[in-house]
Amino acid sequence: KMCGVLGLLFAEESSDCCGELCDGLTALQHRGQDAAGVVVASTASEWASVKFRILKNNGLVRDVFNASEVGGLIGNVGIGHVRYPTTGSGVPQECQPFYVNYPCGLSLAHNGNLTNTEEMRLELVSRHRHLNTGSDSEVLLNIIAEHLREALAARRMGSPRAAGEPFSAPLDAESI
């Protein structure tokens, strides 16, 4: 009783991964028949101009994706998800992958259940994060986004790291 999650990154920036994502999700269809979704982006774009292209809906992979829609989802990196519902409802808004655009574009496909979803939801709302669904996966995405926002703010406020150095926003069991 688990969802199916698939991620692809093609090294060739001009490659398109959406067709392969859909093929992979078809192979994972036994992991979830409730809903299917993909998000793709291109690493060829400048960071500030990266566009996330998302298609998701209730139904089997063959019903959610058709050739004309898949052809419009251009990108060399993507994630896909087929849903086996254990929580939430069957509305299309609960289909994954989820996306947030603050502090930057982030997308997440998740399999599993958080044990402290309501507690985390209340914490996020107190930090003025807006949640659109009852999904624990959306809560998880917003937790990651909030930690990233805090890390970026700390860096802008004079972190000793030099500009251009990598940084991380670590999560631990108590954060989630």
Side-chain angles (χ1 to χ4, degrees), residues 13-161:
E13 293 175 342
S14 62
S15 297
D16 182 22
C17 71
C18 193
E20 282 79 0
L21 275 174
C22 292
D23 290 346
L25 290 178
T26 299
L28 290 174
Q29 187 73 82
H30 66 283
R31 300 295 298 267
Q33 294 86 40
D34 185 59
V38 296
V39 59
V40 298
S42 175
T43 60
S45 303
E46 291 294 320
W47 175 249
S49 64
V50 170
K51 301 282 189 262
F52 287 76
R53 293 168 176 88
I54 302 170
L55 178 60
K56 57 186 184 173
N57 208 340
N58 288 336
L60 299 173
V61 172
R62 69 172 182 252
D63 300 327
V64 173
F65 305 110
N66 65 49
S68 64
E69 289 173 322
V70 169
L73 299 173
I74 299 167
N76 66 309
V77 60
I79 54 177
H81 185 269
V82 288
R83 183 169 190 246
Y84 179 91
T86 57
T87 64
S89 65
V91 297
Q93 294 83 357
E94 301 234 344
C95 300
Q96 295 186 46
F98 285 108
Y99 170 80
V100 295
N101 66 355
Y102 181 79
C104 59
L106 295 172
S107 193
L108 172 94
H110 166 253
N111 174 52
N113 294 311
L114 302 182
T115 59
N116 59 345
T117 303
E118 255 335 285
E119 176 186 339
M120 297 305 337
R121 183 181 308 282
L122 293 172
E123 176 64 25
L124 289 166
V125 170
S126 76
R127 294 178 182 214
H128 306 287
R129 301 283 316 181
H130 179 79
L131 300 170
N132 294 305
T133 72
S135 172
D136 60 347
S137 298
E138 185 188 22
V139 169
L140 179 59
L141 176 59
N142 276 274
I143 290 168
I144 294 167
E146 185 62 17
H147 280 273
L148 182 57
R149 184 200 60 77
E150 290 170 357
L152 290 169
R155 188 169 187 190
R156 282 194 285 274
M157 298 303 290
S159 169
R161 298 173 198 242

